[in-house]
Amino acid sequence: MGASTFVPRALDSGSTRSGAVLGALAVLFAVAGVTLAVRTYRMGVELRDGRVTLRGVLRTTRIPQSAITHVHVREATVVWRRPDGAVRRSRVA
């Protein structure tokens, strides 16, 4: 998908700013693409020093091992309690 898809018609043809807008969008898409590629490569579950780290595409969750109450293998979720007592579910990618 090209950066020109997201540029308004007013900036498409006769404007002097169209090159700068397209350049900025190209840089933005390149940075986002590299970030997502690295995050996708590092996805997974890591158990280290009494803490479980769940790395997803957009977010990383760190859970103390003592807070985990259930692991649902079929649903690929970890059920755990926050320090305030709230029950949380985190999906494993």
Side-chain angles (χ1 to χ4, degrees):
M1 181 180 312
S4 61
T5 305
F6 298 100
V7 178
R9 286 250 186 242
L11 296 179
D12 247 355
S13 53
S15 177
T16 58
R17 295 185 299 171
S18 64
V21 170
L22 288 176
L25 283 173
V27 169
L28 177 70
F29 287 149
V31 169
V34 168
T35 301
L36 288 176
V38 169
R39 296 280 305 176
T40 302
Y41 178 76
R42 296 195 60 197
M43 283 176 57
V45 178
E46 183 177 296
L47 178 59
R48 185 180 293 174
D49 300 327
R51 183 172 58 178
V52 176
T53 303
L54 304 172
R55 293 187 200 280
V57 175
L58 299 177
R59 163 174 114 163
T60 298
T61 305
R62 291 176 182 84
I63 306 167
Q65 189 175 357
S66 60
I68 295 174
T69 59
H70 294 79
V71 176
H72 294 286
V73 176
R74 185 172 287 191
E75 297 173 12
T77 58
V78 175
V79 181
W80 56 285
R81 287 192 184 273
R82 291 192 322 204
D84 64 1
V87 176
R88 303 283 300 178
R89 285 181 168 285
S90 296
R91 298 223 11 115
V92 177

